[in-house]
Structure formats: structure tokens, C-alpha cells
Amino acid sequence: MSNARTARYSRRGLLAAGGALGLGALVTACGSEDSKDKGSDAKGAAKSGPWSFKDDRGKTVSLDHVPTKIVAFTGVAAALYDYGIEVKGVFGPTKTKDGKADVQAGDMDVSKLTVFGNRFDQFNVEQYAAFQPEVLITTTFDAAGSLWYVPLASKDKIAKLAPSVALSVFDRQMPKPLQRMAELAASLGADLKAAKVVEAKKRFEAASERLRKAAKSRPEIKVLAGSASDTVFYVSGSDFSIDLEYFKALGVNLVEPPAKAKEANGGWFENLSWENVDKYPADVIMMDDRASTIQPADITEATWKKLPAVKAGQVISRSPEPILSYDKCTPLVENLAKAIESAKKVA
């Protein structure tokens, strides 16, 4: 999708788009810089020696030591945590309104994190500067390599304080970003041969094979990926999302809104009014699990409650921004496989 189209997205559309994203800022990446060792804030990282990493924009960040003062998008920090790398500075959805861990924070203890911004357009640059970051790590959701959740208004100031690393989650299947996150974690000191890591990858591969078999044995089961807001129901296509592209490749029969219907949203999703929520028949509905969206139990629209899949209890959660560790992605694949295996044909 073009940068011009991306810039025209509404905040509500980006936030609630089940196949797209969560609200965030799209900024052009900065280059490599050197910085001095500021301490040991990333557990598991090597203590000495030069460090470099080539990210998915083709940019290489090089330092004279493995960075320990790391600041990362919350979901990235959560993935690194699963590899034993503890990042203490984060930005993005970290805490819910009641102070509990956001779904994107994974297993991290959010009470111990320095949070520079908990939602869209929140990023405390002064606090970030005082933290003395050595590198900023996030994802990118477009071909241009724009940095996810870094506010446009402060991107230049942020870029001057530390180099950035971006891993692409745009227009590729889930295994590739998972591999790249593992490579990043290894560069920071993670042991990819550790029993926990090896077993997690095996479980992911087994879950993928289970989903492949389920999809092959139940090709009649139609699966819709949705997301809810107060006024709009979003139906996601599989064109760019790493999970949906992967599920489709494994044979899952996904609802695909026509290209023209997704055109206003860069090809990611179609907007439906709640009156038209039944436009696409579906046997299983995967709903956006992010705190920024309305969860199925809280949807009061009568048209929703009348959907065959809803009445049959065939609604499961989906993570449009999955935490990119094998440990966290495995349940996403398993849950869909189980749903297809046990689904009644209701559409």
C-alpha cells in the first residue's frame, strides 16, 4: 500500500482493523549510530564485543558492544522476553485502564517497565532521553519500513537519540517474522538451542501441521476475521497480515472481501455497518483480542447476536499483532485448528 494511502487512514480505522494493525505512527527509519554502554538492562545479553544487526529495511545498526539499554515496542519486548532478553523500556499498549498487563505485554511484569507511551501518539521524549537508549526496536507494517507506534510529531527528536531496528510484519507469512525475531534475540544474547526455545518451535510446527490437516479435512468451514468498534465492524482480508496469510497458505477457507471493498483501507479490510454485519456467511469468527477493540462478550448489537457462528458459540480470539515468539504464536494456531475441527456448519 502506498504511503499516501497509509497517511489517510483514520485513527479509528487503524485501531480497530482486525487484519491490519493497532493505532500507531508510521515514520521513516533512522540510520546507525554508536553509543556508549549505559548498564545492563537487557538480561541475557552478552557483556562485551561488537554488535550489529541488519533489519528488514536493509539497514544495519552497529555498536561497539551488545546493547543493554534497549527500548522496544511492547509486543517486541514481550517476544524478546520469551527468549530471556528483558527489555525495561517500552512504548505501545502495555497496561490496561486498571493497571493490569495489556494482551500485547505477554508475560512481562508491567509494574517493572518504564513506559514511554501507553497508546497512540503518546511518547515521552524527555523521559526517553533520560533513559539513555542505545537502540529502539519495533515492527513495520508497510513496504516503506515505517516505524510502528513512533509518533509522527516527535519522530525526528526520537531518531536523534538512538538508532532504530525494524522487523517487518507486512505481506509475509508468520514463520518469517518469527525467524527474524529469533535471530534478533540471538544477536542480543539469547540461546536458541535452549530446551525451552527448541520445544516452543517444535510445538509451533506441530500446531501448524494440525491446522493444515484440519483445514484439509473441513474445507467447507468458512472462517471470518473481524474486529469491533462502536459504529463499525471490520472484516479483514488476508493480503498483508502475517497470521491470515499463513492460515490461508495452510488451507484455511477464509472470508475474503473483494479488493474494491477494501480499497479505501489500503487493501487491508472492509468497513461494515452493524446493520450489515451478516454480509459474509461464516462458520467460525476470529475476533481481534486487543484492548483497543470491543470484545465479543461486550458486543450488544442485535445483528451480531443473530449471526449463526455467534449463536453456535463458534467465536474465538485472534491477535492481529501477535507476539513474535513461538511460545506465543503456537496457541493462536492451535485455537484455530481446534475451532475448525469441532465447528458445526452453520453459515
Side-chain angles (χ1 to χ4, degrees), residues 79-107:
L80 292 174
Y81 182 88
D82 286 347
Y83 285 102
I85 308 298
E86 294 191 29
V87 178
K88 295 186 177 179
V90 300
F91 58 98
T94 307
K95 300 179 182 180
T96 58
K97 292 180 180 180
D98 57 6
K100 295 181 180 179
D102 187 276
V103 65
Q104 295 192 61
D107 294 332

Side-chain angles (χ1 to χ4, degrees), residues 192-268:
L192 299 188
K193 295 182 180 179
K196 179 182 177 181
V197 175
V198 173
E199 181 59 29
K201 186 175 182 180
K202 287 182 178 178
R203 291 199 312 271
F204 177 79
E205 292 170 347
S208 297
E209 184 58 27
R210 178 183 176 184
L211 179 56
R212 186 192 305 276
K213 291 179 179 178
K216 184 177 182 180
S217 64
R218 302 295 307 280
E220 76 280 7
I221 299 301
K222 197 78 172 176
V223 179
L224 180 147
S227 186
S229 71
D230 289 334
T231 59
V232 179
F233 184 81
Y234 302 85
V235 178
S236 299
S238 66
D239 293 338
F240 304 128
S241 301
I242 62 170
D243 62 333
L244 299 184
E245 281 199 16
Y246 188 46
F247 298 158
K248 185 176 182 179
L250 291 174
V252 175
N253 185 4
L254 291 170
V255 168
E256 291 283 359
K260 188 173 183 179
K262 298 180 293 183
E263 196 172 76
N265 299 302
W268 287 88

Side-chain angles (χ1 to χ4, degrees), residues 116-157:
F116 301 106
N118 197 60
R119 63 177 185 269
F120 173 73
D121 249 357
Q122 273 193 347
F123 199 113
N124 190 319
V125 180
E126 290 72 22
Q127 184 185 23
Y128 178 66
F131 187 83
Q132 295 183 290
E134 294 175 313
V135 65
L136 180 150
I137 308 174
T138 187
T139 52
T140 179
F141 276 91
D142 62 30
S146 305
L147 298 182
W148 191 235
Y149 254 84
V150 175
L152 287 170
S154 53
K155 70 179 181 68
D156 293 335
K157 292 180 180 179

